[in-house]
Each structure stands twice: as structure tokens, then as C-alpha cells.
Amino acid sequence: MKEPNFFLPALAVRRPVTVAMLLVASIVIGAITLSRITLQLLPSGFTPPFLYVTVPTVPTTPADVEREIVRPVESILRTVRNVQRVRSRAETTDASFAIQFVDGTDMTNAYNQVRDRLERVQPELPAEAQRFVIWKFDPDEDPLMFVGAKLRSNEGEPDVEIRQNLIQPLERLPEVSRVDVMGLRPIEVVVEVDDKRANAAGVSVAQLVQTLQDDNFTLAAGTVDQADGRYPLRVLAKLEDLQDLRELPIGPGILLQDVADVRVHRANDREIYRIDGQSGYIVAIYKESQVNTVDAARAIRDKLNEVSGPDKNVKADVFFDQGEVIEGSLYNLAETAFFGGLLAIIILFFFLRRARMTLVTAVAIPLSLLITITVMYFVGVTLNALSLMGLMLSVGMVVDNSIVVTEAIQRRRMLGEPIAVAAPRGAGEVGLAIIVATSTTIVVFLPMVLMSGSETIRFYLGEIGFPVCISLTASLLVSLVFIPLATTWIDTETSVATVPAVEKLQDLYAHSLSWCLHNRATSTLFITLCLATLVIPFRNIKQTDKVEANINDVRIFFDFESTTTYEEKVRLLDEYEKWVAENARDIEVRTWMTRMGGQWGNPQFRLFLEDAAEREMSREEVIEKIKDGFPTMPGSDWRIGWGGAGQEQSVTVDIEGPDTERLTEIGNGVALRLRRIPDVMNVLVGEDDARATELRYTMDSDLGQRLGVSPLMVGGAIDYALRGRRTGTINYQGEDVPLWIRNKADATTTRAELENIAIPSPLGGPGLPIGILAQGEVAPGYNEISRVNGQARLEIQVLTTRDDLKILGEEIDRELAGIELPRGYNVRKGDRFLQLAQEARDRQFALGMAIIFVFLLMGILFESFVLPFVIILSIPFAFLGTYWILYATGTPFDVMAGVGLIILVGIVVNNAIVLVDRVNIMIRSSQDRHEALVEAGRIRLRPITMTAMTTIGGLIPMAIGATEIVGVPYAPLGRTVIGGLITATIFTVYVVPIAYTLIDDLRNWFVDRFTSPSP
């Protein structure tokens, strides 16, 4: 029979010097680019369609923040083009907005529009509302490193010392763009009014406030047209310095300094930052955009060691380091490649029994990866978390083509052909098969990258898929060019030894396949029954949206009763920290950080554990030990986890409607139903289980009218007594700092002191106390108020020990089905359930398109409508192994398992392609179909087994959970692919020949039925 021939193997054997030079050039260029390629944590070039806005304000009630800040800002933000959803949150110290845009929105333009809208609405907000902050995701603007810093001794001014001895040395590094510090107390200028001096001068507080506001402002007043152009107009009345402020006239012959003292001090904003129980600072360090991440991290660490040594007063601990994460990921990649290569060598040597031939085949792994990194370098792709993920996926697959080529050459050597003939013919014989097999693996990424419903997913899958596609293409070239030539150099033996065990396996398979072909009905029934068992794991396997990271820290969150004072919180915090300090060695904690107040709300502990290699306990064991010993103080509660979640699974149910009070009533009823679900530990309505309480004053309107006292005057007096009044900003040492006016006496803190404050009547006569003018009452309030697209939203948090979201969602649906809601209100499961459903839809779509693409590609390359149907039948048997191995190991089906399932589509058909290709060659040589199928199966069993075993071997580090990228373990992906490969390999060598005969018989029947001559 005429053997197929490909020009590349023959050309490589004829031009050995050219190929050798190309090989050397690939290795040299690859080594150079590997040392120069940019390293970063996440890829640049894409901004997710989200913006986040924060408007800080002085402490007040969430209801006031919602009314005065959230509603006007929310209304104007919804006028921005392509806005899909605006989620607002009103809290005691700020209003925050999460803006989601339609996929494909130009985020630079969106950012500019949002900024423009906020500039317009800023003058309409209360004076207490500070300047807005807009955050847009950009990996180049993420902190390179987080550092916890404290002083060994607190002599002098701590803020000044930390700036001089830590921040400024870091800022001087050329690799550092900026350094942000949390824990520095902000500077403010305070006008402290002396009541006695003010009363003697006949000056009221209202007069002082009005004077400061009238004489200290900047106003943009439009534009003015002149002959030479248009000029922007600004009206300025700014106090230049503190001396100007002190000498500000407030009445005839009266200066501000006559009735008040002007002081500069650091604000006590009741935020706490502690390191190891001592007052400290959290330092965020940013790198220059063009600097290599790992190099920048090393330079920063060197500087930290220099400025925070044992003889220095500053002590710094690194909490998070992008460079360290990247180096760890690279190490994991190298380790995976090493063990994968080692297992491949062992497996190859078992089959080939020739050390030099085995080593040549195994070289395909590093050579293919070097070529891939070279291409990435020249097209501008960085080595980041996602591209490393793609490279790691490639490790187990890039050797497959070389195995098939090597085995074909080896088989021809066993038949007695000289190496010079066996090398090009063996490679040419399987050329079409490995081209088709490689193409099918590459093509499965197209539906994931090009057809996903989310631009974000398309971008990230593209970053993962690009290295995979390049490495597989490189492995194809290596197998067709370098492997044939290399075998002619190293194979000098005149005969090749056989492997008895492999021959016995081939003979056993040939006999069993022959029996199956003669008993197709029985075989088909047995195979169908095996496939039907897929129902068992499919129905019982757990589903989750979480990808648990191998992180090295534990977070503890605290909740307090709504009436707990700041001082009581600090006292409880001290007690909890005392326990951590006493037990740090037992729970293997290296250092810990405490945050409270401001954007952090209630206290949070973040315990950083010793390095995994130095610990005796796993992170899970540390958590259990903390649970067993951590105290619970009266008036407080704690939980371990992240965000609103505890160590238990946390899901949400959202209720939306026009009125917050009505939402709470509905939410309480929904919570009662949700608590009936098995394994639900607790249900929290709103931010906490108990609503906040607040003190409210209602004005006696009749009394106020008789005295000429308005509610605004009473409210202003209360506001001034408790907080003072902010009257703008003033320049101090080159910076604009807040300017406040307050009473010189101690701040009012109790209800009795507040109600004793007298409000003077504009009509004359003695003033009356607030307690007479207004009636105070304690009433329920809110810790926070949430809104979505202009409607109030109440979030119900469900804490459960169940981690199967699919079953949990079904039970929640059953409980919610019988609820009757008022018009305008609706209840739905939270974002985690929506995300899980969207992931399932995307995965099903990607699987379907991957199968279609593989089918079309095989039809094109095989020039057949029938053969693709035969090959496609191997795919369901991959799912059989995937679900059974996940079910047997108790591994939830998560995002990583879904990625592995899609990749399997392109991998498992390779065995069928290699087998069908050989069958076609033998049938074209006029061999009987039955004999051709049995003999082709016997011949191809060895390369099929070799490629499957080497791929499985390369994935074993993933499957046992030892491999991770950026802390994310690959166990679900590794187990998915391994399970699918095992069952697909076993069933493919039987299913494909049986299907081939059935479809061939069906085709012959159609031909005979519709093309037979008419009588």
C-alpha cells in the first residue's frame, strides 16, 4: 500500500544542519526571552465594566446619608451612557456606589462621564460631604506590596517618624511610583470658640460660621468672552494661612482670635490600625508601570530590610507581595513540568526500552515551552497568573505528538526498516493524525474566547488559551521536524527490542475487540449501561461557585450590638487581642493585623500564619483550633471567613421595593421561612441580626412658633454640639486641610448634656433647653441602607454548613414559592446563585460549540461526513470518568472543573483520530474491514496508551492539590481531566471500532437502498 508522506519530516532528515541551527536558535532565543519577559500578577490591557464611587461624610445616620447624598448622586449616575446597574449603599460615614456597565463599554470614556456627573452634583451635596473618589480596576495600579509597620518605641511623633524612616526611603526607589499609608491621623485646623469671650463680644456661633463660609471659598462662575478669547471665571475668597484666619474680622473691631483659639492637630477619627496589638500602619506600595514586578518586589524588600532591621525603630512585616506570588507560581510551573517530564520519561522508557530515544521524546516539553515563551515575548504577552495557567495546562499535552511520532518510528524499526527510512516514513504516516488531533485541542478554545457572553470572560480565557494554542502548535512542529532528525542521530542499533508485556496487552485487546465486533448488540448494550451510570454522580455531585485558594492567613470578623460605644468596642478588642498574643505560637501565627472604623466598620483581625513549609498544622487545622479556643465576650460575636461570610457557606436572598421599612417587615417573614431549611445555621436580616437603634428628636412646633425657633435652629445646635461644623478648607503647609469650628469646652457626649443646651429665641428673652423644645425618643434605625437602580434593597444573609449550591438553591426556591408580596416588591436569590446559573449556561454553550467546532474541523481534514460522527462518540465517555472521579473524591464541581471539562473535548478525540486514521490507511489498501479495525486497534493501542498515561502523569501534581497559581489549587481541573482521560481511553478503543462498523453498515444500506438500479 502507498504510505502517506509529509514533506516536513523528509525535509528535516535531508537538511540536518539547517534543522540543527534552528534548534540551537530556538533554545538560545528562548533562554534570552525567558530572562527578559515581563512578569506581573495580572495581565494589562483590559478594564472590567465596573466603576466604584465613594463619597465620605462626617458620622451621621444612614437614613440621612441616603436622603442627602445617595439619592441625588444615584439619579445623576444613572444618566451615564451604557449604565446597566447602580448599586448604592448608605452607611454612617460614607455613601458608596457600584456602577456596572454594558459589556464592551469604553471604560475610559465611562470614567470621564462619571467624573463629569459627580462634578455637577457635588455643589448640591451637604457641606459635610467630602470630595468623591472614583476607583477603576487596573492591574498596573494595584499595590505591588502590602506592609504592616509599627515603631519599637513611641518616643516623639509616630506619624513623622514613620514618614521619615519608612515612607520617604521607599518613595525614593526608582521602581516605586507611590506609597499610600493607612493609620496616619489626618491633620485638621480647628477654631475653638470660647463661649465667655464670644458672649462678651456679642458674637454668636451662627455669626462665626457664616463669616467663615463667606470669607473662605472658591467658586467656579462660568466663562467670560473677550476679544482675544474665552476665559474661565473663578471667584476667590481664600484664607491663605493660619495668621489670616486668626486676624479675620468678625465684627466691628473684633477679630476671630479675640473670641476663639486656632489650633492644628491630628484628627481622632476613631480608626484603629494595629500590628501585633500595637498601634501601627498599613502601607500600600505601588510600582512604576514599566518595571518588572519581581525585580521591583526584590528592590522593595531589600529597602525594607535596610530601614527596619533589628537596630532600627521601625519594624515592618510584609503581608502581601505580588513578586513572591509570581515567583511561587513559576516554581510550581517548573515543578509540574519536572514531575510531568519525569513521569513521561518513565512511561516512555517502559514502552520504548531505549534511554536515548526516551530522552529525545521528553525534550519536547521544555522545547515547546521555550518556543511558546519566545512567541509571547515578541507579541507583547506578559508572564502572568493567567498565562502561567495556560502553560501549566500545556505541560501534560505537549509531549503527546512526539510520543505518537516516536512510536510510529519505533514500530517501523521493529519491522526491520533502517532508521533513515523509518524516521521520515513513521512521522509522515501519523502526520495527518497529529495535525487533526492538535487542531481539535486548539479549536475548543475558540467558543470559550470568541463566543462567551461576557467580555471579561473572553479576555481572561484568551489570556489562558493563547499559551496553550502556541505550545501545542510548537509541539506539532517539534514532533514533525526535530524528533525525526534526532532519532536518526541517536538510533544506531540494528535491531529494536520488543516489550513482552505490551505485546501481551496488544494481543489481549485484539482478541477482545474481535469478539466485540462479532457481538455488537451485546457490546453496545454493555457500553450503554456503563454510560447510564453517569446519572448517579451527575445528580449527587456538589456544585459551587467558589474556588478555594491556598491562602496563608485567617480573618476574624466581629459584630457588636448596635448600642455598643466606641470605648466598649476598644475594650473588647483589647481582650480579643490578648488571646491572640497569648496563643500566637500555638496557632502558628507569624504576625497579625487589626483594623476598625472608617471603611472597615467593626474590628477585623487578619492572622498571618507561618509559611506552609514551616508549619505543623494546615490552615484548616489552625481554624479549628481557633474555633475551639477563641473566646466570646458578652455583647459581641465573631466569625471566621471573608466579607460577610463566615467559615460557613454564605448566600443571600435579596428583596427590592420602594420603602425600606416595608422591606424589613417582608424580610423578617422571609427569614422565618429560610430558617426552616436543614443545615442553615443562621439568617441575618440586613447587615446584622439586630437593627441599629438611634435617638430621634421631634420639635414641638407650637412652642417653636411662639418663640420663633425653627427645627433647623434646633438641629443646627445639636449638630454643632456633637460634631462642630466644617466650614471648608484652609491651606496648611502647602495642602488643603479641613477647617472646623467647635466649642472650646469638652464635647457633648450624654443625652442629659445635649438636652440642657439652650436655644436663644430670635424674639428675645431667655433661651429654652432642647429638652423642652423637642421630644427625644429611642427608635429603631439602620446600620446601612442598600439600593439597586433607585429602589431600596434588603439583603438577607443565609449562613449554612452546606456547600452544594444547587441543592441549597432548590430548597430556597421551595420556601420562597409560597410568599405573597405587595405590589412593587420582589424577592430573588442573590448574586451567587445568578452567577452559578450563568456559569452553567456559558459552560453548556461552550461545550456545545466546542463539539461542533471539532466536528467541522474533522470533516474538513478527513474530507468525510461520516468519520466525524464516529470520533465524536468518544466524548460522552470522558464525562463519565469526570463526574465519577469528582463524586468519588468529594470534589465540588467548580469553575476549574468546568474549564477542565471543556478542554477534555479537544483531548479525548485525539485517541479516536489516531485510531480512525490508521483504519482508513489499511482499508484504502483493500484490507478487510474487520481485519483492518482489529489490526489498526492493535497497532494504535500502544501510542494511545502512552499519550494517555503521560498526560495523566503530567496532571497528577494538579490532581493531588499540590499545584497552584496565585494561591488557587488546580485539584478539580486535574481530577476532571484525569478521570475523563481514563474512561475515554478505555472505552474509545472499543466504542470507535463498533461505531465505525455500525455507521459504515448504515451508509452501505442507504447506498444500496437509494442507488440500486430500477427493475
Side-chain angles (χ1 to χ4, degrees):
M1 67 180 172
K2 183 180 179 181
E3 296 284 357
N5 196 12
F6 272 75
F7 75 95
L8 282 179
L11 179 65
V13 173
R14 289 199 308 268
R15 306 291 297 273
V17 176
T18 300
V19 175
M21 292 299 102
L22 290 174
L23 176 62
V24 172
S26 299
I27 295 173
V28 172
I29 296 173
I32 294 172
T33 54
L34 180 60
S35 65
R36 295 187 178 183
I37 192 169
T38 301
L39 304 176
Q40 58 183 158
L41 187 63
L42 293 173
S44 304
F46 175 73
T47 302
F50 296 94
L51 289 177
Y52 300 91
V53 176
T54 302
V55 182
T57 184
V58 297
T60 184
T61 65
D64 290 338
V65 174
E66 180 199 23
R67 182 179 60 257
E68 298 177 3
I69 299 178
V70 168
R71 289 179 182 269
V73 172
E74 184 182 67
S75 298
I76 200 165
L77 288 177
R78 292 174 66 188
T79 65
V80 176
R81 291 186 60 188
N82 295 329
V83 167
Q84 191 174 58
R85 184 169 66 170
V86 178
R87 302 181 67 168
S88 312
R89 189 183 297 270
E91 298 181 273
T92 56
T93 58
D94 63 63
S96 57
F97 307 86
I99 314 167
Q100 180 179 351
F101 292 84
V102 176
D103 263 336
T105 301
D106 183 344
M107 293 309 297
T108 300
N109 185 42
Y111 181 92
N112 293 333
Q113 289 188 50
V114 168
R115 189 179 191 87
D116 174 70
R117 301 299 197 282
L118 292 172
E119 292 284 2
R120 294 186 204 173
V121 79
Q122 184 82 43
E124 302 175 14
L125 301 180
E128 293 80 8
Q130 301 173 27
R131 178 75 178 175
F132 58 82
V133 178
I134 308 175
W135 184 81
K136 178 178 70 171
F137 175 81
D138 186 345
D140 291 333
E141 295 182 2
D142 277 354
L144 170 66
M145 193 178 292
F146 277 106
V147 176
K150 64 180 181 180
L151 299 178
R152 291 186 168 92
S153 65
N154 288 323
E155 299 177 1
E157 176 59 48
D159 287 3
V160 173
E161 185 166 353
I162 209 74
R163 281 188 179 277
Q164 292 177 347
N165 298 328
L166 179 63
I167 308 307
Q168 292 175 2
L170 290 172
E171 289 176 334
R172 286 194 288 267
L173 288 174
E175 294 87 356
V176 173
S177 62
R178 79 175 195 270
V179 179
D180 292 342
V181 187
M182 290 172 279
L184 294 174
R185 291 178 299 162
I187 294 175
E188 62 183 19
V189 175
V190 180
V191 176
E192 294 183 343
V193 180
D194 187 317
D195 285 342
K196 293 181 180 180
R197 290 154 56 187
N199 291 335
V203 177
S204 67
V205 172
Q207 184 180 348
L208 287 174
V209 171
Q210 190 64 46
T211 301
L212 287 172
Q213 291 177 339
D214 290 345
D215 287 43
N216 185 42
F217 69 90
T218 300
L219 176 65
T223 59
V224 174
D225 293 327
Q226 291 190 352
D228 56 347
R230 174 173 294 181
Y231 295 89
L233 176 62
R234 297 176 66 203
V235 179
L236 303 178
K238 289 289 290 182
L239 298 170
E240 295 298 329
D241 52 33
L242 299 186
Q243 192 58 34
D244 283 352
L245 178 61
R246 292 187 179 99
E247 296 176 354
L248 179 68
I250 57 173
I254 303 174
L255 304 180
L256 182 63
Q257 63 188 7
D258 296 331
V259 298
D261 296 326
V262 177
R263 301 184 184 278
V264 178
H265 75 112
R266 296 193 178 272
N268 179 15
D269 53 8
R270 297 194 169 188
E271 290 190 19
I272 289 178
Y273 294 92
R274 294 179 181 174
I275 309 297
D276 297 338
Q278 300 177 21
S279 180
Y281 306 85
I282 300 174
V283 183
I285 307 170
Y286 299 79
K287 74 176 184 71
E288 293 287 354
S289 59
Q290 302 303 318
V291 176
N292 187 293
T293 300
V294 174
D295 293 340
R298 289 172 180 167
I300 293 169
R301 278 186 172 271
D302 290 343
K303 180 59 68 174
L304 288 173
N305 292 333
E306 177 186 329
V307 301
S308 64
D311 58 332
K312 305 292 185 181
N313 193 32
V314 175
K315 184 179 185 299
D317 288 298
V318 176
F319 293 155
F320 172 75
D321 178 1
Q322 282 192 24
E324 196 174 63
V325 172
I326 293 173
E327 287 183 302
S329 300
L330 286 171
Y331 174 80
N332 274 291
L333 175 65
E335 186 179 51
T336 301
F338 172 77
F339 284 110
L342 181 62
L343 287 170
I345 289 173
I346 294 172
I347 294 167
L348 289 172
F349 183 75
F350 172 78
F351 283 93
L352 300 179
R353 297 299 172 93
R354 306 185 64 189
R356 288 182 292 179
M357 185 74 78
T358 299
L359 290 174
V360 165
T361 306
V363 163
I365 295 175
L367 185 56
S368 298
L369 294 180
L370 276 178
I371 294 173
T372 303
I373 290 174
T374 301
V375 174
M376 290 170 57
Y377 176 81
F378 284 110
V379 300
V381 177
T382 63
L383 205 58
N384 54 69
L386 299 178
S387 57
L388 282 173
M389 186 185 299
L391 290 174
M392 189 172 291
L393 290 174
S394 305
V395 167
M397 298 188 288
V398 292
V399 75
D400 288 358
N401 290 333
S402 296
I403 288 174
V404 174
V405 170
T406 302
E407 193 279 334
I409 296 173
Q410 182 82 342
R411 185 178 57 81
R412 285 186 168 273
R413 292 285 285 120
M414 291 178 181
L415 297 176
E417 291 185 358
I419 187 61
V421 176
R425 284 189 177 180
E429 173 187 318
V430 295
L432 175 62
I434 63 175
I435 289 174
V436 175
T438 303
S439 301
T440 55
T441 306
I442 292 174
V443 81
V444 298
F445 283 93
L446 291 179
M448 290 194 293
V449 175
L450 301 179
M451 299 185 180
S452 173
S454 168
E455 184 182 6
T456 305
I457 295 176
R458 287 199 297 271
F459 174 80
Y460 286 124
L461 288 177
E463 290 287 326
I464 296 171
F466 182 78
V468 174
C469 297
I470 298 301
S471 62
L472 291 177
T473 304
S475 74
L476 182 62
L477 293 175
V478 168
S479 64
L480 291 176
V481 177
F482 295 129
I483 296 298
L485 178 60
T487 57
T488 63
W489 290 343
I490 65 171
D491 191 352
T492 57
E493 300 178 18
T494 56
S495 62
V496 178
T498 60
V499 183
V502 176
E503 289 191 338
K504 288 181 181 179
L505 178 63
Q506 289 175 308
D507 291 339
L508 178 63
Y509 164 68
H511 284 99
S512 62
L513 177 60
S514 178
W515 184 90
C516 289
L517 292 175
H518 284 111
N519 299 272
R520 292 186 300 182
T522 304
S523 302
T524 302
L525 177 62
F526 175 76
I527 291 171
T528 304
L529 290 176
C530 290
L531 187 61
T533 64
L534 178 63
V535 175
I536 298 172
F538 185 79
R539 287 183 175 178
N540 294 284
I541 197 170
K542 298 176 181 178
Q543 292 190 22
T544 181
D545 62 335
K546 285 189 173 181
V547 179
E548 291 294 337
N550 286 337
I551 51 181
N552 201 40
D553 64 273
V554 178
R555 304 172 194 240
I556 304 177
F557 298 85
F558 298 90
D559 295 310
F560 297 104
E561 295 178 357
S562 59
T563 55
T564 305
T565 64
Y566 172 80
E567 290 74 19
E568 182 64 14
K569 288 182 181 180
V570 173
R571 187 190 68 78
L572 292 170
L573 184 63
D574 292 339
E575 294 295 325
Y576 284 121
E577 284 187 325
K578 182 179 179 181
W579 185 92
V580 175
E582 293 173 350
N583 295 272
R585 181 171 297 181
D586 291 339
I587 58 178
E588 299 187 285
V589 168
R590 171 174 56 89
T591 185
W592 78 90
M593 172 179 64
T594 305
R595 301 181 294 201
M596 185 178 81
Q599 60 177 309
W600 310 112
N602 285 337
Q604 307 171 13
F605 286 179
R606 187 172 180 184
L607 313 180
F608 295 90
L609 308 181
E610 299 286 356
D611 291 338
E614 301 174 3
R615 290 201 315 265
E616 296 180 0
M617 295 185 294
S618 67
R619 178 175 178 270
E620 289 70 25
E621 291 172 333
V622 171
I623 290 174
E624 288 304 318
K625 197 163 186 176
I626 293 173
K627 283 184 172 182
D628 292 339
F630 203 71
T632 299
M633 307 292 179
S636 65
D637 197 7
W638 57 269
R639 61 189 188 274
I640 297 175
W642 169 245
Q647 189 61 24
E648 302 86 2
Q649 289 280 340
S650 174
V651 298
T652 59
V653 174
D654 296 336
I655 308 174
E656 298 176 1
D659 182 66
T660 304
E661 293 287 344
R662 191 75 177 95
L663 286 179
T664 303
E665 295 176 11
I666 298 171
N668 290 330
V670 171
L672 290 175
R673 289 174 171 266
L674 296 178
R675 288 191 179 99
R676 300 192 304 224
I677 297 175
D679 299 324
V680 168
M681 306 299 295
N682 199 2
V683 179
L684 307 179
V685 180
E687 185 188 45
D688 296 310
D689 195 19
R691 290 177 57 182
T693 54
E694 58 189 28
L695 180 60
R696 299 175 181 173
Y697 280 94
T698 304
M699 180 77 177
D700 185 332
S701 56
D702 293 336
L703 181 58
Q705 287 179 358
R706 291 198 302 270
L707 298 176
V709 177
S710 67
L712 184 61
M713 293 172 63
V714 176
I718 293 174
D719 183 59
Y720 175 76
L722 293 176
R723 299 184 307 202
R725 182 65 58 83
R726 181 173 173 175
T727 60
T729 61
I730 189 170
N731 184 277
Y732 177 73
Q733 295 183 349
E735 295 183 6
D736 283 340
V737 300
L739 175 61
W740 287 84
I741 180 170
R742 295 192 181 108
N743 196 296
K744 191 172 184 178
D746 292 337
T748 301
T749 57
T750 68
R751 179 174 179 178
E753 291 174 338
L754 181 66
E755 293 183 350
N756 283 331
I757 297 174
I759 307 295
S761 170
L763 304 179
L768 289 180
I770 290 177
I772 295 177
L773 289 169
Q775 180 67 39
E777 64 173 345
V778 176
Y782 297 93
N783 291 307
E784 65 177 40
I785 297 174
S786 298
R787 295 166 60 84
V788 176
N789 288 341
Q791 279 201 320
R793 180 184 70 116
L794 181 69
E795 183 179 273
I796 300 176
Q797 190 178 77
V798 182
L799 301 180
T800 175
T801 56
R802 181 174 297 172
D803 55 3
D804 188 351
L805 283 187
K806 180 179 69 173
I807 301 299
L808 181 61
E810 292 172 356
E811 293 179 344
I812 291 176
D813 284 336
R814 283 195 291 271
E815 293 296 339
L816 297 180
I819 296 178
E820 295 183 4
L821 298 174
R823 179 174 295 181
Y825 293 83
N826 66 82
V827 59
R828 65 174 180 83
K829 291 182 294 187
D831 290 344
R832 285 189 62 191
F833 293 104
L834 297 178
Q835 180 181 353
L836 187 69
Q838 184 61 46
E839 287 175 359
R841 288 192 294 269
D842 287 344
R843 184 169 58 250
Q844 292 167 4
F845 176 79
L847 275 173
M849 293 307 301
I851 293 172
I852 292 173
F853 277 33
V854 168
F855 179 86
L856 295 175
L857 180 63
M858 288 188 297
I860 293 170
L861 295 178
F862 278 121
E863 191 59 32
S864 170
F865 290 105
V866 177
L867 293 182
F869 285 106
V870 176
I871 295 171
I872 286 293
L873 288 176
S874 62
I875 294 176
F877 296 94
F879 301 160
L880 178 67
T882 288
Y883 282 96
W884 268 114
I885 196 170
L886 293 178
Y887 177 65
T889 58
T891 306
F893 193 99
D894 61 6
V895 175
M896 299 307 298
V899 172
L901 197 65
I902 297 171
I903 293 174
L904 263 177
V905 173
I907 297 177
V908 298
V909 296
N910 295 349
N911 294 334
I913 290 170
V914 171
L915 179 57
V916 169
D917 179 63
R918 184 63 191 176
V919 171
N920 285 343
I921 293 174
M922 300 185 75
I923 288 180
R924 283 199 298 266
S925 65
S926 301
Q927 195 166 353
D928 176 71
R929 187 183 73 179
H930 179 86
E931 294 179 0
L933 286 168
V934 173
E935 183 61 21
R938 188 183 188 285
I939 292 173
R940 289 297 187 235
L941 181 65
R942 193 167 76 148
I944 287 174
T945 306
M946 291 168 66
T947 55
M949 291 180 66
T950 53
T951 303
I952 291 170
L955 292 171
I956 285 177
M958 291 188 189
I960 63 176
T963 300
E964 60 181 54
I965 290 284
V966 197
V968 178
Y970 277 47
L973 188 150
R975 293 168 190 170
T976 297
V977 178
I978 286 175
L981 269 178
I982 290 173
T983 53
T985 302
I986 293 172
F987 282 95
T988 293
V989 293
Y990 291 99
V991 170
V992 168
I994 294 172
Y996 191 101
T997 61
L998 292 173
I999 293 178
D1000 189 51
D1001 288 346
L1002 183 62
R1003 179 181 58 182
N1004 293 334
W1005 180 83
F1006 269 101
V1007 171
D1008 294 340
R1009 177 71 176 81
F1010 296 105
T1011 63
S1012 57
S1014 302

